[in-house]
Amino acid sequence: MARNEEKAQSMLNRFITMKAEEKKKPKERRPFLASECRDLADADKWRQQIMREIGRKVAEIQNEGLGEHRLRDLNDEINKLIREKVHWERRIVELGGHNYSRYSAKMTDLEGNIVDVPNPSGRGPGYRYFGAAKKLPGVKELFEKPPELRKRRSRYDIYKRIDASYYGYRDDEDGILEKVEAEAEENMRAEAVAEWMRMEEIKKEARKAVKSGEVAEVGGAAKTILYEEEEDVVEEERMKERELEEKEKEKEFVVHVPLPDEKEIERMVLEKKKKDLLSKYASENLLEEQIEAKAMLNIHR
């Protein structure tokens, strides 16, 4: 029995294969320019063909072991096919077809975040990187986000969050402060009532003693009150004494040089007047002598 390879090489099989190829239509070649296509169905067909080529090359570029040069070439081919796809999509819209560019996929980084890469020419999408091409040297840096600088808060940002609750105006709204204040208020009220009752008992004892005319004996409660009042009086007297001592210290003036009395001052004033009169008299005599000297000089001349 002949093998399958021998059967395929037989004359009959080769003849059948040749006849089947003759019946097939010749393969159509995609137009170089999208504007040459006049049929919407053909334009859609060529777009689908480009999409298959892009998918095949994108699957191939995922292999990191292809090498840097091969990865760059594949990435260039993919970008070229994408530009061609855009032309065909534009042509489909011109022929009245569906607008595919409206729902086109966005470019993402290594973490899956969308990255906007503008085209310097301003026409169509920018240059994109796929698969392992994103990890090439010089390309990986493009997808790395710059470190976020911690912005220093300004005075406006600090005061922007300050409201009435910051100053404690809304402490009553939570209900906790009311409970705490209620407990403290009850304790203070109980202490005030107990103090008032103690004072009333002392007053009653004092009134009974006054009415009976007997000498009032000081009890324990009254004794403490009197002792407290006595302490207050003593403290007030001490404060007054301190104030008087401070005033006396302010009045005192330490003299480091002996001061003259009234007689000494009168004597000094008289001596000063005498000196003034003598200096005045001497100046008058000197003026007369000068006049006489001038007169004598005039005579001699």
Side-chain angles (χ1 to χ4, degrees), residues 96-300:
H98 185 68
N99 188 5
Y100 295 99
S101 59
R102 184 182 300 176
Y103 307 101
S104 60
K106 302 294 183 180
M107 182 180 179
T108 58
D109 57 5
L110 296 175
E111 298 177 357
N113 301 320
I114 297 173
V115 180
D116 185 16
V117 183
N119 188 11
S121 63
R123 297 180 299 175
Y127 192 86
R128 301 182 181 183
Y129 292 91
F130 301 88
K134 295 180 180 179
K135 300 180 182 180
L136 293 174
V139 180
K140 188 176 181 180
E141 290 78 4
L142 299 174
F143 296 93
E144 293 179 355
K145 294 182 180 180
E148 295 182 0
L149 298 176
R150 189 174 181 180
K151 188 179 179 181
R152 186 176 181 181
R153 291 196 302 171
S154 61
R155 188 178 293 274
Y156 171 75
D157 296 332
I158 294 172
Y159 284 101
K160 185 170 62 176
R161 300 181 181 179
I162 294 177
D163 52 2
S165 60
Y166 177 81
Y167 295 101
Y169 293 124
R170 296 178 181 173
D171 292 343
D172 299 337
E173 297 179 0
D174 55 1
I176 299 173
L177 187 61
E178 293 180 358
K179 295 179 181 179
V180 177
E181 287 182 349
E183 294 177 0
E185 187 177 355
E186 290 178 0
N187 296 332
M188 293 173 67
R189 186 180 289 119
E191 291 177 0
V193 171
E195 183 68 18
W196 182 80
M197 294 293 291
R198 189 165 63 91
M199 293 296 295
E200 288 294 322
E201 290 178 0
I202 294 168
K203 288 178 182 178
K204 287 179 181 178
E205 292 177 2
R207 286 171 187 169
K208 288 179 181 179
V210 171
K211 287 180 180 179
S212 62
E214 298 177 355
V215 178
E217 296 181 359
V218 179
K223 191 174 182 180
T224 55
I225 293 170
L226 293 173
Y227 180 75
E228 291 175 357
E229 292 179 353
E230 185 180 355
E231 285 292 327
D232 295 337
V233 171
V234 172
E235 187 65 26
E236 289 179 0
E237 291 179 355
R238 288 177 182 173
M239 292 293 293
K240 290 180 180 178
E241 289 178 359
R242 289 175 185 173
E243 291 178 357
L244 291 173
E245 289 177 359
E246 290 177 357
K247 290 181 180 179
E248 290 177 358
K249 287 181 180 179
E250 291 177 357
K251 290 180 181 178
E252 291 180 358
F253 179 75
V254 179
V255 180
H256 300 282
V257 180
L259 295 175
D261 54 359
E262 294 182 358
K263 293 181 179 180
E264 187 70 20
I265 291 170
E266 290 177 358
R267 187 180 62 77
M268 292 173 68
V269 170
L270 288 173
E271 288 181 357
K272 187 176 181 182
K273 288 183 178 180
K274 287 179 182 179
K275 288 181 181 179
D276 293 339
L277 291 171
L278 289 172
S279 60
K280 185 178 182 182
Y281 180 73
S283 61
E284 290 177 355
N285 291 337
L286 182 61
L287 183 60
E288 290 176 358
E289 289 178 358
Q290 289 178 355
I291 293 169
E292 291 177 357
K294 289 179 181 180
M296 290 176 66
L297 290 172
N298 290 330
I299 291 169
H300 289 295

Side-chain angles (χ1 to χ4, degrees), residues 68-122:
E68 181 180 350
H69 298 289
R70 178 57 182 163
L71 290 174
R72 291 186 185 275
D73 293 341
L74 276 174
N75 203 76
D76 292 338
E77 293 173 4
I78 293 170
N79 280 273
K80 184 178 178 181
L81 289 171
I82 289 173
R83 288 195 296 272
E84 190 174 355
K85 179 178 71 71
V86 171
H87 294 317
W88 282 106
E89 289 176 353
R90 191 181 299 116
R91 183 59 180 167
I92 290 170
V93 174
E94 292 174 358
L95 295 173
H98 185 68
N99 188 5
Y100 295 99
S101 59
R102 184 182 300 176
Y103 307 101
S104 60
K106 302 294 183 180
M107 182 180 179
T108 58
D109 57 5
L110 296 175
E111 298 177 357
N113 301 320
I114 297 173
V115 180
D116 185 16
V117 183
N119 188 11
S121 63

